[in-house]
Amino acid sequence: MTTTDYDDFADAYSAENESGLFNAYYERPAMLRLAGNVSGRRILDAGCGSGPLSAALRAKGAVVTGFDVSAAMVDLARQRLGEDADLHVADLSAPLPFADAEFDDVVASLVLHYLEDWSGPLAELRRVLKPGGRLMLSVNHPAGYAIEYPEADYFALTKYSEDYILDGQTAWLTFWHRPLHAMADAFAAAGFRIATISEPPPSPDTPAELLPPVKGSGSFMCFLFFVLESA
């Protein structure tokens, strides 16, 4: 694989997502903390994958709609959430099949860093949000890129690929690094206001054997989280 198409390793990725450090004990708990009380809120899970965040939000009382570009991931999400779940195969880089102001909140977990252009996707997510609605998102931490690739230009929009081995399968995933100021500029241009920037520690119930060796606070450089509010 040389693209971010998850179809060929959807099952292996979903299994890792269930119990791995970065998803089960870091990204997903952080997103749920940022979301807070979602009872009765209509939420769009943009890039829902196999549906674990959708399931968690639904368990907290939210009315959840999800979409993913990978049909295999959507199939897995439907197995998890039920045949009547409101799930779609859709591409965030194209117009979305939802009405204006349809949702109270949007969650986009580890999605935007796959896209070179954020202007269209952010405009679509703002379009489907009610005025004052929230977009909660996570992306690869830009400072982590600078640490991992010290010879690279932190300030340049840069395409890079990394290999992941899951259940004996090797997948090459392609990302786009952008510096923090470019993220903030894109949010503002799309009509969003940054309400929260978060660099959370892992969940307190993380098994000790999963944690990397860190000093001090117990936090480590991984993902960067935002809560944005639409105008």
Side-chain angles (χ1 to χ4, degrees):
M1 287 179 61
T2 57
T3 72
T4 53
D5 181 357
Y6 278 87
D7 283 347
D8 290 345
F9 73 121
D11 289 317
Y13 180 82
S14 180
E16 171 67 19
N17 198 303
E18 295 297 322
S19 58
L21 169 63
F22 298 118
N23 294 100
Y25 293 101
Y26 188 72
E27 198 280 337
R28 195 153 57 245
M31 288 292 281
L32 292 171
R33 286 195 299 271
L34 290 174
N37 181 6
V38 295
S39 181
R41 296 181 72 83
R42 293 206 62 188
I43 299 181
L44 177 63
D45 188 353
C48 65
S50 61
L53 181 58
S54 289
L57 290 167
R58 194 169 69 172
K60 291 166 67 87
V63 179
V64 182
T65 296
F67 75 88
D68 201 277
V69 71
S70 166
M73 284 294 190
V74 172
D75 287 344
L76 290 174
R78 195 170 299 283
Q79 292 173 32
R80 182 195 301 271
L81 300 169
E83 287 301 318
D84 60 343
D86 188 10
L87 297 169
H88 307 260
V89 177
D91 188 344
L92 184 54
S93 62
L96 297 175
F98 308 112
D100 294 356
E102 187 171 346
F103 301 99
D104 298 300
D105 299 313
V106 173
V107 292
S109 291
L110 307 178
V111 173
L112 285 176
H113 51 221
Y114 291 115
L115 304 178
E116 179 181 7
D117 176 28
W118 282 15
S119 58
L122 287 173
E124 275 296 278
L125 294 179
R126 183 172 179 270
R127 179 185 67 79
V128 303
L129 272 172
K130 296 177 181 178
R134 301 178 300 170
L135 169 57
M136 293 163 281
L137 64 95
S138 57
V139 292
N140 288 337
H141 201 302
Y145 173 85
I147 294 170
E148 184 71 19
Y149 302 99
E151 301 304 316
D153 181 359
Y154 167 81
F155 294 100
L157 177 66
T158 306
K159 183 180 181 179
Y160 68 104
S161 296
E162 294 182 341
D163 65 312
Y164 289 80
I165 300 176
L166 296 171
D167 194 26
Q169 302 179 70
T170 300
W172 284 89
L173 302 183
T174 298
F175 306 100
W176 288 89
H177 161 76
R178 52 183 26 86
L180 180 58
H181 80 270
M183 296 181 188
D185 290 347
F187 300 150
F192 287 104
R193 181 183 70 85
I194 298 175
T196 302
I197 299 176
S198 180
E199 298 172 303
S203 176
D205 63 348
T206 305
E209 63 271 17
L210 293 182
L211 291 170
V214 294
K215 298 179 180 179
S217 66
S219 297
F220 53 88
M221 191 71 68
C222 191
F223 306 131
L224 188 60
F225 297 77
F226 297 90
V227 179
L228 311 177
E229 295 177 350
S230 65

